[in-house]
Amino acid sequence: MHRLARFRKTTPRIAASTTHTPLAPCMRWSSTAQIRGGASSNCTGEDDTGSLTTITCSKPFDLANFRTLLETPLHQWPQDDYTHLRPNVGACDISASFGSDKIRENFLVDFCHWDFINHGAFGATLANVTDHAVRWRLFQERQPLRYFDRILLPEIARVMQEYALFAEVSPTDIVFTQNATAGLNTVIASLGKTLKAGDTVLSLDIGYGSVHSMLNKVVSDKDCRHHRLSVPLPVANEQDLVDSLRNYLDTCGTPPAFAVFDHITSNTGMVLPLAQMAALCKERGVKVVADGAHGLLQTCVDHDQLRESGVNYYITNCHKWLCSAKSVGVLWAASEQDKALLSPLMVSHGHGSDFNTSFLWDGCRDYSSILSLPGCFHFWTAFGRTNVREYTHSLVASVAADLRDAWNTDPLCPSSMHANMAMVELPQHLQKRTATEVQNAFYNNSIEVPVKRLSNNKLYVRISGHVYNRATDYESLKHLALHPKFLE
């Protein structure tokens, strides 16, 4: 039994559901089945209107056709025999209320034994999406050559179109990456090639640690400088951040070559005024790269607004708040000029082609996390993204306020700057402990939550909230932190 178990809530936890959609039964696949994009009897790849909407199954997929598939509306694509591998659009039971036992059946998290309040770390995949990812893996192994040579790439084109509809972007403005880290490395390395001796690149000191490493790497390769603009904590309001950036840009002399800003910071959980900061940079000719690893679904990402304000690149993750299979990232470029500056880190068969085709194939690997993405789109569309955000934002704001009241601590920023994550200062008697000590103690009491010491030298927990969370998930955290024998 864990220490202090008597202080844990006695409400029974809900066991992970075992009633998820079963995998497709073993079957013999038709050698004449239409593949994604269809099979053409005359092998011309042309339909009656002259649009390339079918791809012959008599030869491997031609990369030269990929851009055409992206530009062909999905309703013009013919039917195929692989619908059983994709999610059932009408399968979502929207009667489940957020935070309920029923909504938890859509996830694989072990709610029976854990207070899982750290979704922000690596997310939690939807059970149905996991099932569909496994189906694609099994299908791949039934006939690997057919899968990789004839089915995979057109299927990726379909998913890109579905993502574009979900995110309200053009499919020709996005490419899939393995994760946001890969996308950010791609953009920063590409922009690094344009740097000249004496140039500066800009970031905020509250940005993600690995991004600072990426920037340090590109400036070390040339006689350049990485300036980390300090953000004093706590933050009074968004305008303070905007004013601090404006003051730097007005006094720094030569403007930075480019800047990298978080949309929602991992270390502080704050939603930054990205559009306003980008607008300041745009006025001075500074390119802006947005680290949106936490942005997708957690907040509304309006790409048209971002483009207008001056964001050149937006990189996000699907496996965090969208709850896709692990892992998928998306890189969005605002213009053809922005696309032209990018070079994939992995050079392969699409190299030298258009933006989308250049990033399409990076070698033989597991692509099922991409192919199973539509299940996420259907799930969140069924429940309503606005409804999801209203619940999660309200839950986190309420719990953060309750913890601060119980622990008699101050907010890091206004609640309006939090979405699905919030940093809450720990009680005074824990401030002399290390973050590792406190986090491990919570973990040993079946509470999964990160603990961080921020630049103001105070210790915080970062709570996360998604649709499977409810207020009682945070009760043990609150009471354990106050117990005098918690760390003994």
Side-chain angles (χ1 to χ4, degrees):
M1 180 179 293
H2 289 301
R3 292 173 295 166
L4 303 179
R6 64 184 182 279
F7 290 97
R8 299 187 55 74
K9 61 177 180 281
T10 58
T11 303
R13 300 176 186 266
I14 305 302
S17 172
T18 58
T19 61
H20 306 313
T21 305
L23 298 179
C26 179
M27 61 184 71
R28 182 175 299 279
W29 305 97
S30 170
S31 61
T32 60
Q34 286 182 300
I35 63 170
R36 174 57 57 216
S40 172
S41 59
N42 60 13
C43 295
T44 62
E46 301 288 332
D47 67 4
D48 293 338
T49 64
S51 299
L52 185 105
T53 57
T54 57
I55 304 299
T56 176
C57 60
S58 64
K59 61 182 180 180
F61 180 75
D62 186 348
L63 283 172
N65 290 329
F66 188 73
R67 179 65 179 251
T68 304
L69 283 180
L70 284 184
E71 295 173 340
T72 302
L74 286 176
H75 69 268
Q76 294 183 18
W77 289 33
Q79 296 295 316
D80 59 40
D81 290 345
Y82 304 115
T83 56
H84 63 282
L85 293 169
R86 306 186 196 102
N88 182 350
V89 176
C92 297
D93 181 1
I94 60 174
S95 66
S97 58
F98 298 147
S100 68
D101 297 346
K102 194 170 185 179
I103 200 73
R104 290 186 167 192
E105 293 177 1
N106 292 285
F107 295 86
L108 299 173
V109 175
D110 182 7
F111 297 111
C112 185
H113 297 99
W114 288 93
D115 285 327
F116 191 75
I117 51 180
N118 188 15
H119 187 99
F122 298 104
T125 305
L126 288 164
N128 192 44
V129 171
T130 299
D131 286 346
H132 282 94
V134 171
R135 290 186 188 194
W136 278 112
R137 293 187 200 111
L138 293 176
F139 175 71
Q140 167 191 307
E141 296 308 323
R142 298 291 290 179
Q143 218 286 32
L145 265 292
R146 176 191 54 189
Y147 170 82
F148 282 108
D149 274 2
R150 306 167 189 273
I151 298 175
L152 173 62
L153 303 186
E155 190 69 22
I156 290 176
R158 172 180 284 274
V159 176
M160 288 178 71
Q161 287 218 37
E162 293 196 33
Y163 178 91
L165 290 170
F166 180 80
E168 298 182 350
V169 297
S170 167
T172 58
D173 289 343
I174 60 169
V175 293
F176 289 129
T177 64
Q178 292 194 37
N179 45 51
T181 298
L184 285 160
N185 266 283
T186 297
V187 175
I188 291 172
S190 297
L191 295 183
K193 296 176 183 177
T194 69
L195 294 175
K196 302 182 297 294
D199 281 348
T200 298
V201 297
L202 174 66
S203 69
L204 305 181
D205 67 348
I206 57 175
Y208 197 53
S210 71
V211 174
H212 294 314
S213 297
M214 298 174 206
L215 293 171
N216 289 338
K217 173 64 169 61
V218 297
V219 299
S220 69
D221 293 338
K222 298 185 178 181
D223 185 18
C224 300
R225 187 171 71 97
H226 171 205
H227 180 76
R228 295 172 60 176
L229 183 63
S230 176
V231 177
L233 300 175
V235 173
N237 51 60
E238 289 184 351
Q239 192 58 44
D240 281 358
L241 286 173
V242 176
D243 291 343
S244 177
L245 176 60
R246 178 185 291 108
N247 180 65
Y248 169 76
L249 293 173
D250 286 344
T251 60
C252 67
T254 303
F258 65 90
V260 182
F261 300 134
D262 291 66
H263 192 177
I264 302 174
T265 68
S266 176
N267 287 337
T268 69
M270 289 192 291
V271 182
L272 303 187
L274 178 60
Q276 296 95 309
M277 294 191 300
L280 290 175
C281 291
K282 182 180 180 181
E283 292 171 359
R284 297 158 175 83
V286 180
K287 286 189 174 296
V288 173
V289 180
D291 178 356
H294 283 276
L296 188 59
L297 190 67
Q298 183 175 177
T299 190
C300 179
V301 183
D302 185 334
H303 292 82
D304 289 335
Q305 180 195 50
L306 294 177
R307 179 188 287 109
E308 179 64 25
S309 65
V311 174
N312 300 89
Y313 305 99
Y314 191 95
I315 301 96
T316 192
N317 275 323
C318 297
H319 56 272
K320 285 187 182 287
W321 301 97
L322 199 66
C323 303
S324 78
K326 296 171 180 64
S327 59
V328 190
V330 182
L331 162 57
W332 172 84
S335 70
E336 295 303 315
Q337 292 79 9
D338 293 322
K339 297 173 190 176
L341 292 174
L342 299 183
S343 298
L345 295 177
M346 191 73 69
V347 175
S348 192
H349 294 299
H351 181 65
S353 304
D354 61 86
F355 171 62
N356 307 99
T357 309
S358 294
F359 283 86
L360 174 60
W361 175 260
D362 56 13
C364 181
R365 64 176 176 89
D366 183 3
Y367 290 86
S368 63
S369 56
I370 293 175
L371 303 186
S372 57
L373 270 175
C376 300
F377 310 149
H378 299 157
F379 186 86
W380 299 118
T381 298
F383 280 98
R385 283 168 278 181
T386 299
N387 297 332
V388 169
R389 285 192 282 266
E390 286 178 353
Y391 176 81
T392 54
H393 294 186
S394 175
L395 172 67
V396 169
S398 174
V399 168
D402 181 55
L403 292 176
R404 287 195 301 269
D405 288 345
W407 296 343
N408 192 29
T409 56
D410 298 320
L412 181 68
C413 65
S415 61
S416 60
M417 293 183 69
H418 284 310
N420 294 4
M421 301 186 294
M423 299 296 287
V424 184
E425 184 183 342
L426 282 163
Q428 184 58 41
H429 69 277
L430 296 179
Q431 289 297 325
K432 292 183 179 181
R433 299 285 191 161
T434 67
T436 300
E437 281 181 294
V438 179
Q439 182 167 328
N440 286 344
F442 283 132
Y443 179 88
N444 290 334
N445 282 276
S446 300
I447 302 172
E448 187 62 71
V449 67
V451 178
K452 302 172 184 286
R453 188 171 296 280
L454 299 185
S455 60
N456 60 355
N457 201 32
K458 291 187 177 181
L459 213 57
Y460 293 80
V461 290
R462 188 193 69 188
I463 59 169
S464 295
H466 214 325
V467 295
Y468 57 76
N469 288 119
R470 49 202 184 205
T472 53
D473 290 343
Y474 309 84
E475 286 296 306
S476 293
L477 171 72
K478 177 172 69 176
H479 296 300
L480 282 169
L482 292 172
H483 197 274
K485 295 185 178 180
F486 172 43
L487 290 173
E488 290 184 3

